[in-house]
Every structure is written in C-alpha cells, then in structure tokens.
Amino acid sequence: QVNLVESGGGSVQAGGSLRLSCEASGRIYDTCIGWFRQGQGKEREVVAAIHTGSGTFHYSNAAKGRFRISQDLNTVNLQMDRLKPEDTGTYYCGAKKSGYCSPLMYFEYWGQGITVTVSS
C-alpha cells in the first residue's frame, strides 16, 4: 500500500513558477511515481514520472524544458517554470509498483489532487 499526499498548488500568473510535492508513505522502492494533470473537461494526462529504483524519468512533450521532476527520499517534487494558462488543472500524484515507468499507465495509487491555476 502506498499513500500519497500532494502539496504546493496555487495560483500564479503566466510565466511564473510553482513547486508541487508528493509525499509518499509505505514502501516505494522500485516504484514509478508520476504527476498527472486534468484540465476541466479533459482526460487525465501524465506530466512527468520518475522511477524510484533506477532514477529514470519521463516528461510529456508539454512539460519538457519547463518542468523538472526529482526525488528526495519519500517525496517527489515537480518544479514547474514558465507556466502557461494551459497548465491550469488539477494535478494528481500517482504511483505503481513496477520495475519500469513505461508504459505510463495502470497506476494503482492516487493522491487527492491539488489545484494549479495559471492566469494570463
């Protein structure tokens, strides 16, 4: 069992930065932990993911060059820079017990979600 708690959301103007944190409890070795975003009326999509065993990471095309995912013990952080209005949404932390992050599907554990609003 993995419990996930997100923090760090909020409102920011376009071009600004936010840092989201996902604190995981339980055994998270050899686990893929990812950040997902769901805009209003849209499906949930992966933003970035990191594997706690190998350290490999993945980014969506929208996140590349602007976001950075990192792990600090049991916390996975998402540093978001140069934010755009289209980054607005509810951000979820998800985890799956797997030797690999790929494919970025079938996540078993989820946090409650946290809101990010980027105004133009």
Side-chain angles (χ1 to χ4, degrees):
Q1 181 72 22
V2 178
N3 294 313
L4 305 170
V5 178
E6 303 103 335
S7 62
S11 298
V12 66
Q13 288 192 325
S17 298
L18 282 174
R19 183 180 174 89
L20 305 183
S21 294
C22 173
E23 184 172 357
S25 59
R27 297 188 61 175
I28 65 165
Y29 183 75
D30 217 24
T31 299
C32 181
I33 298 179
W35 280 99
F36 298 75
R37 173 173 70 205
Q38 187 165 16
Q40 192 169 6
K42 298 182 180 180
E43 292 187 357
R44 191 176 300 187
E45 59 181 359
V46 64
V47 175
I50 188 167
H51 194 270
T52 61
S54 65
T56 55
F57 46 84
H58 306 261
Y59 292 99
S60 68
N61 287 335
K64 285 178 184 176
R66 297 190 300 125
F67 296 0
R68 187 172 72 89
I69 193 168
S70 62
Q71 180 190 359
D72 181 9
L73 298 179
N74 273 32
T75 299
V76 173
N77 301 304
L78 184 68
Q79 177 67 39
M80 304 188 295
D81 298 322
R82 303 199 305 277
L83 283 160
K84 304 176 182 180
E86 50 264 44
D87 294 318
T88 294
T90 301
Y91 283 70
Y92 296 89
C93 180
K96 63 175 181 178
K97 293 286 193 180
S98 173
Y100 306 93
C101 275
S102 184
L104 292 169
M105 301 170 65
Y106 314 121
F107 281 72
E108 306 162 87
Y109 307 102
W110 294 96
Q112 292 299 306
I114 194 166
T115 301
V116 170
T117 303
V118 184
S119 57
S120 56

